[in-house]
């Protein structure tokens, strides 16, 4: 199993664009930088549109990069750094899952941790998701703070009963006698021809479970910050990691930081339309934003990050300003995050909308293996541009 998954591993992951001065590292390609700069200059009653360059074109001088504060990490390394810091800080933190030990995890997030902390704190398990998920929940009830790694998020459907009936509800059904400080994390999303069973997006499955929080990381910076926050939370947290973002590189602070599990991130302020997105689609949106700016539009881009609960404060303030909303997600259209977000905005901010909400989602079909067909099932930047143009007519 480990050998098979290695062929889908970190070094083969890729992402096209970044809005955080990020770099991509791919085995067959040089490390390149994708800049995102913005300029606004309201003068004489006119608004100067923000200039965004999302296409990676050049490698930064290593000397100038080294002079900047912080250190550069790939996203999977940022996850590992956050996990390692929390294991160092709190001896109750432990990891369990398939191949998380000396193999280092299918995407190397736990590489080296077994050597440092031992086989009991970084526990290799059999291929039995329902068993080791239930074991982790029991460990949390007795005072530990376990992190469950799914080799692929789709495999955690085998543990749905444990996650739903136990992890999410035990605090309530025990009358508050138990807390379940558990993190459930792993790779998911549509990769590069991984087939239907390995391209699952489970956000829609888990969002209806009472007692569970859900977050999705999209940059090395927020991956580390959300990992640390999830481990420290007294609630069970599902952390979604996209399989194609593991090789995204970014400079993050040297000093410790922890992000909120319930806050969205303002990626790009704008005036004409609010675009809400998360995970990999953040980069499709930012690619589309370049085209939209060249066409005279000024989109506001928000990475919602917190999938449950939604940050309705940040979202609401944006809706009140732009009066138009486009939601872009990789989740399925029926019953997805976009459907829940649409309902929440209509319920809370309907009077501020000048047009119906547009929701761009993946098609309700199994993800094809063929690369061309796979691409057709997922929202592409051209579709985002067309949706904004039509909405802002």
């Amino acid at each position: 199993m480990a050998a098979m998954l290695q062929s889908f591993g970190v070094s083969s992951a890729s992402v096209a664009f970044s809005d955080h001065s990020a770099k991509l590292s791919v085995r067959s390609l040089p490390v390149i930088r994708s800049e995102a700069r913005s300029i606004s200059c309201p003068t004489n009653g006119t608004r100067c549109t923000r200039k965004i360059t999302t296409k990676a074109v050049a490698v930064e001088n290593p000397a100038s990069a080294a002079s900047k504060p912080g250190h550069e990490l790939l996203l999977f390394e940022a996850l590992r750094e956050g996990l390692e810091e929390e294991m160092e800080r709190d001896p109750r933190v432990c990891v369990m899952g398939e191949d998380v030990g000396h193999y280092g995890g299918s995407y190397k997030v736990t590489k080296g941790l077994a050597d440092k902390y031992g086989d009991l704190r970084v526990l290799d398990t059999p291929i039995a998701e329902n068993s080791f998920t239930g074991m982790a929940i029991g460990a949390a009830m007795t005072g530990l703070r376990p992190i469950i790694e799914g080799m692929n998020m789709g495999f955690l459907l085998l543990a749905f009963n444990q996650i739903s009936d136990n992890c999410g509800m035990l605090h309530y059904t025990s009358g508050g006698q138990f807390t379940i400080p558990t993190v459930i994390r792993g790779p998911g999303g549509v990769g590069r021809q991984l087939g239907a069973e390995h391209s699952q997006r489970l956000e829609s499955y888990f969002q209806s479970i009472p007692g569970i929080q859900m977050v999705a990381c999209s940059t090395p910076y927020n991956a580390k910050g959300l990992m640390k926050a999830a481990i420290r939370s007294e609630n069970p947290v599902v952390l979604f990691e996209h399989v194609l973002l593991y090789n995204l590189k970014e400079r993050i602070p040297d000093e410790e930081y922890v992000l909120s599990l319930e806050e969205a991130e303002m990626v790009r302020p704008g005036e004409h339309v609010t675009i809400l997105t998360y995970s990999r689609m953040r980069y499709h949106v930012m690619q589309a934003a370049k085209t939209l700016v060249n066409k005279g539009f000024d989109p506001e881009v928000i990475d919602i990050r917190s999938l449950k609960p939604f940050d309705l404060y940040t979202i609401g303030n944006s809706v009140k300003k732009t009066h138009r909303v486009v939601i872009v997600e990789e989740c399925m259209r029926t019953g997805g995050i976009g459907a829940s977000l649409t309902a929440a905005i209509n319920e809370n901010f309907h009077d501020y909308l000048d047009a119906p909400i547009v929701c761009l989602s993946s098609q309700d079909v199994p993800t094809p293996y063929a690369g061309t067909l796979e691409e057709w099932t997922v929202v592409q930047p051209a579709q985002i541009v067309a949706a904004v143009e039509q909405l802002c007519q």
Side-chain angles (χ1 to χ4, degrees):
M1 177 68 75
M4 179 185 71
L5 263 292
Q6 191 174 22
S7 65
F8 302 138
V10 173
S11 53
S12 65
S14 64
V15 63
F17 297 92
S18 170
D19 53 287
H20 257 79
S21 299
K23 289 196 281 187
L24 289 182
S25 176
V26 183
R27 178 180 297 172
S28 59
L29 297 174
V31 174
I32 55 179
R33 182 170 297 279
S34 173
E35 296 288 351
R37 304 294 186 194
S38 60
I39 302 173
S40 59
C41 48
T43 56
N44 300 326
T46 63
R47 184 170 61 251
C48 201
T49 59
R50 298 164 63 94
K51 183 179 180 182
I52 298 181
T53 305
T54 54
K55 187 174 182 181
V57 293
V59 179
E60 185 177 16
N61 188 313
S64 63
S67 66
K68 293 182 179 180
H71 56 290
E72 285 189 324
L73 291 176
L74 300 172
L75 190 143
F76 80 92
E77 294 172 326
L79 289 166
R80 183 200 302 151
E81 185 171 272
L83 174 54
E84 186 170 2
E85 287 179 6
E86 292 305 301
M87 293 186 74
E88 185 73 26
R89 187 186 71 90
D90 188 344
R92 298 173 297 170
V93 177
C94 57
V95 184
M96 56 186 70
E98 298 151 358
D99 286 336
V100 299
H102 296 282
Y103 182 72
S106 56
Y107 290 87
K108 303 307 178 186
V109 172
T110 57
K111 183 179 179 180
L113 297 184
D115 294 332
K116 184 174 182 179
Y117 295 106
D119 294 340
L120 289 180
R121 291 190 67 189
V122 187
L123 181 64
D124 274 325
T125 67
I127 303 174
E129 283 77 9
N130 57 346
S131 298
F132 67 73
T133 301
M135 180 172 64
I137 295 167
M141 293 172 66
T142 62
L144 297 181
R145 307 184 80 85
I147 296 133
I148 303 164
E149 176 177 314
M151 185 177 285
N152 182 283
M153 289 299 275
F155 301 161
L156 290 177
L157 290 175
L158 296 166
F160 194 84
N161 177 64
Q162 285 74 21
I163 296 171
S164 176
D165 289 344
N166 302 145
C167 194
M169 299 187 189
L170 270 171
H171 180 65
Y172 173 79
T173 57
S174 69
Q177 295 181 74
F178 299 110
T179 56
I180 315 295
T182 304
V183 179
I184 302 169
R185 51 153 299 269
V190 177
R192 289 285 185 267
Q193 295 183 264
L194 301 183
E197 294 180 357
H198 289 74
S199 301
Q200 295 272 34
R201 289 131 288 176
L202 298 190
E203 305 97 298
S204 59
Y205 289 71
F206 291 139
Q207 68 172 328
S208 61
I209 300 175
I212 294 254
Q213 285 187 265
M214 302 196 311
V215 291
C217 60
S218 54
T219 69
Y221 177 81
N222 67 39
K224 178 181 177 181
L226 292 173
M227 170 71 87
K228 291 172 70 70
I231 293 172
R232 297 186 187 189
S233 175
E234 295 300 319
N235 299 313
V237 179
V238 182
L239 173 59
F240 292 97
E241 304 156 14
H242 200 287
V243 67
L244 291 185
L245 298 185
Y246 279 126
N247 266 11
L248 185 69
K249 182 177 282 189
E250 182 182 30
R251 186 170 292 275
I252 68 174
D254 290 328
E255 61 273 10
E256 183 182 38
Y257 65 93
V258 179
L259 298 180
S260 170
L261 293 174
E262 300 179 8
E263 288 184 4
E265 176 188 352
M266 179 65 68
V267 180
R268 181 193 190 279
E271 298 288 340
H272 294 161
V273 60
T274 297
I275 305 181
L276 304 174
T277 189
Y278 65 93
S279 190
R280 176 197 175 196
M281 287 296 108
R282 169 176 176 150
Y283 299 96
H284 282 212
V285 168
M286 291 307 294
Q287 183 181 352
K290 176 185 176 182
T291 303
L292 289 169
V293 168
N294 292 335
K295 290 175 175 283
F297 296 99
D298 188 18
E300 179 152 293
V301 179
I302 296 176
D303 184 342
I304 63 173
R305 287 198 314 208
S306 176
L307 307 184
K308 182 184 178 182
F310 296 130
D311 178 5
L312 291 180
Y313 177 80
T314 300
I315 293 170
N317 284 339
S318 181
V319 173
K320 292 174 184 178
K321 177 172 62 173
T322 67
H323 309 292
R324 292 174 174 82
V325 177
V326 174
I327 299 170
V328 182
E329 63 175 345
E330 198 180 85
C331 199
M332 298 297 187
R333 181 169 185 81
T334 301
I337 296 296
S340 297
L341 191 53
T342 299
I345 295 171
N346 277 323
E347 289 173 3
N348 292 278
F349 309 109
H350 180 267
D351 290 345
Y352 296 95
L353 293 172
D354 288 346
I357 298 170
V358 175
C359 184
L360 303 178
S361 312
S362 292
Q363 297 185 36
D364 289 336
V365 297
T367 304
Y369 174 77
T372 304
L373 295 177
E374 178 186 70
E375 187 175 296
W376 274 97
T377 68
V378 178
V379 179
Q380 299 300 321
Q383 295 172 266
I384 303 170
V385 172
V388 170
E389 287 180 321
Q390 184 174 358
L391 190 64
C392 294
Q393 284 180 350

